[in-house]
């Protein structure tokens, strides 16, 4: 939270571009760190049967934050200096997290990894109940024996035969997520709505934010009922269908007003189905597929791939649209979505209802 607070303070008080850039850089560091820490922490402290639903709260929190920003940004239309106030407001969540974490427990998986078994037992009893203590400790000890030591693995060991699966799968999932086009669709959503007659950019953003929130709420319901793998495959299937709708609407297969309406439907359906699985599941399942010793480094590598691909899409999207046309770019997003379905079907194991230790034993059993 420290770089988030310092970065927003610098941005709020900046008098030139250089100070603003430093402030945004610090905020970026804070966001990057939290993007890795939050799903890892949730996966390690959540009871097995609620882990998927609790993990999807990350996506819901993001959606609620976007909606809150849209509302808080309304005065900026009349006040050109309101952006400074928004930066000051941006410090409040960071301060609340610092205060809230004073009351949060340490991860029982981390405690067991460093040999603090008595503390791990107390946390398990506090979080999961007395009935879960014995079985949870047995699974933690089995995982510790499998790991042979409580030490964090080195970077070179991360790509060894024993650990390479999780970072490869995690990196591939994040690359597919980004090249399936979420940022490109969001980039053009205001233009899509304007062509359909919604001239207010803030209203268009609100429609997208609500679709995002509804998808995240659906994920909260389905994650621990249908499973991560099914949510992921269903999500990418819906995204591919959405891209087909956008492609045909842009190619002029329908009369103009119908095409604009279909484009809006395709955009909202795409955002909804993304939030249903491709968004939340990708962040949740990577810590689940990783052993305690490799979890931090695996999430770090996967998120590095995520941000590099995110940057590449932002850098090249408009150039590709100018060169090939928006419909062709959208068609490529649809193809990537279908490839993502095939990838999930081939390489993702179901983690629903399994403890992290069960998953670790499954992935690292001798027959593998």
């Amino acid at each position: 939270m420290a770089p988030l607070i310092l970065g927003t303070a610098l941005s709020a008080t900046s008098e030139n571009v250089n100070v603003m850039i430093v402030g945004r850089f610090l905020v970026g560091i804070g966001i990057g760190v939290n993007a890795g820490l939050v799903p890892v922490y949730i996966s390690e402290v959540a009871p097995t049967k609620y882990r998927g639903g609790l993990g999807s709260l990350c996506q819901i929190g993001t959606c609620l934050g976007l909606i809150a920003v849209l509302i808080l940004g309304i005065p900026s239309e009349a006040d050109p200096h309101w952006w400074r106030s928004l930066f000051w407001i941006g410090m409040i969540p960071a301060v609340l997290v610092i205060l809230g974490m004073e009351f949060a427990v340490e991860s029982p998986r981390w405690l067991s990894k460093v040999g603090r078994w008595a503390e791990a037992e107390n946390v398990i009893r506090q979080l999961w109940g007395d009935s879960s203590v014995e079985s949870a400790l047995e699974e933690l000890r089995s995982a510790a024996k499998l790991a042979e030591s409580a030490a964090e693995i080195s970077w070179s060991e991360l790509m060894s035969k024993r650990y390479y699966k999780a970072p490869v799968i995690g990196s591939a999932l994040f690359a597919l997520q980004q090249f399936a086009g979420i940022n490109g669709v969001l980039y053009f959503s205001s233009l899509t709505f304007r062509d359909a007659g919604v001239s207010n950019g803030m209203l268009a953003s609100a429609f997208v934010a609500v679709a995002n929130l509804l998808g995240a709420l659906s994920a909260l319901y389905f994650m621990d009922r249908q499973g991560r793998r099914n949510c992921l495959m269903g999500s990418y299937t819906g995204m591919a269908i959405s891209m087909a709708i956008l492609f045909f609407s842009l190619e002029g297969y329908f009369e103009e007003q119908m095409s604009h309406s279909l484009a809006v439907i395709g955009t909202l359906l795409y955002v909804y189905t993304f939030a249903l699985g491709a968004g939340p599941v990708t962040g949740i399942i990577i810590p689940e597929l990783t052993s305690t010793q490799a979890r931090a480094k695996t999430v770090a590598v996967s998120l590095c791939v995520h941000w590099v691909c995110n940057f590449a899409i932002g850098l090249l999207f408009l150039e590709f649209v100018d060169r090939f046309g928006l419909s062709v770019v959208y068609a490529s997003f649809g193809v990537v979505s279908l490839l993502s379905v095939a990838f999930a079907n081939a390489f993702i194991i179901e983690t629903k209802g399994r403890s992290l230790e069960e998953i670790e034993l499954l992935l690292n059993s001798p027959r593998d």
Side-chain angles (χ1 to χ4, degrees), residues 1 4 28 95 117 161 164 172 232 241 256 267 277 301 340 356:
M1 293 300 111
L4 288 174
V95 173
W117 290 97
K161 183 178 180 180
Y164 81 95
L232 198 62
I241 293 171
E256 185 175 1
T267 298
V301 169
S340 301
L356 298 184

Side-chain angles (χ1 to χ4, degrees), residues 12-32:
T13 57
S14 62
E15 297 294 338
N16 58 67
V17 174
N18 291 333
V19 175
M20 175 67 77
I21 290 174
V22 173
R24 302 307 291 157
F25 178 78
L26 289 172
V27 169
I29 291 175
I31 291 173

Side-chain angles (χ1 to χ4, degrees), residues 94-259:
V95 173
L96 291 177
V97 171
I98 289 177
L99 295 176
M101 290 307 293
E102 293 298 318
F103 302 95
V105 297
E106 187 53 84
S107 160
R109 269 89 184 192
W110 181 82
L111 290 171
S112 66
K113 189 187 77 168
V114 296
R116 291 157 61 175
W117 290 97
E119 293 177 63
E121 181 177 349
N122 289 333
V123 170
I124 291 169
R125 181 174 285 106
Q126 180 181 348
L127 290 179
W128 305 342
D130 292 334
S131 61
S132 301
V133 172
E134 187 175 341
S135 60
L137 286 175
E138 184 179 345
E139 288 178 348
L140 287 172
R141 289 192 175 98
S142 298
K145 288 179 182 177
L146 182 67
E148 296 177 348
S149 75
E152 186 83 12
I153 67 167
S154 66
W155 286 103
S156 59
E157 289 177 300
L158 187 65
M159 294 311 296
S160 65
K161 183 178 180 180
R162 179 173 180 173
Y163 295 108
Y164 81 95
K165 293 179 184 177
V168 170
I169 290 173
S171 299
L173 282 176
F174 270 124
L176 290 168
Q177 180 202 67
Q178 290 302 301
F179 287 109
I182 180 62
N183 290 301
V185 172
L186 294 178
Y187 189 95
F188 264 89
S189 62
S190 295
L191 179 61
T192 300
F193 277 87
R194 189 165 67 245
D195 289 343
V198 182
S199 57
N200 188 311
M202 190 166 292
L203 182 60
S205 298
F207 279 125
V208 172
V210 169
N212 201 358
L213 177 59
L214 291 175
L217 290 172
S218 299
L220 178 65
Y221 178 82
F222 287 115
M223 196 79 71
D224 288 314
R225 290 174 172 82
Q226 299 300 318
R228 312 336 176 226
R229 187 168 175 270
N230 287 337
C231 283
L232 198 62
M233 293 173 65
S235 172
Y236 278 116
T237 300
M239 290 162 64
I241 293 171
S242 304
M243 281 298 143
I245 293 172
L246 285 165
F247 174 81
F248 288 117
S249 68
L250 291 168
E251 283 294 297
Y253 285 90
F254 309 97
E255 59 93 15
E256 185 175 1
Q257 189 54 48
M258 175 64 76
S259 294

Side-chain angles (χ1 to χ4, degrees), residues 304-319:
C304 282
V305 172
H306 167 271
W307 292 118
V308 169
C309 293
N310 182 290
F311 177 76
I313 288 291
L315 188 67
L316 300 173
F317 178 70
L318 287 180
E319 182 178 340

Side-chain angles (χ1 to χ4, degrees), residues 58-117:
C58 294
Q59 184 80 7
I60 292 173
T62 300
C63 297
L64 292 175
L66 290 170
I67 292 172
V69 169
L70 286 172
I71 295 171
L72 291 169
I74 292 175
S76 64
E77 295 184 351
D79 182 358
H81 302 292
W82 178 245
W83 61 270
R84 292 188 184 274
S85 300
L86 283 176
F87 276 120
W88 289 119
I89 294 171
M91 292 177 63
I92 296 175
V95 173
L96 291 177
V97 171
I98 289 177
L99 295 176
M101 290 307 293
E102 293 298 318
F103 302 95
V105 297
E106 187 53 84
S107 160
R109 269 89 184 192
W110 181 82
L111 290 171
S112 66
K113 189 187 77 168
V114 296
R116 291 157 61 175
W117 290 97

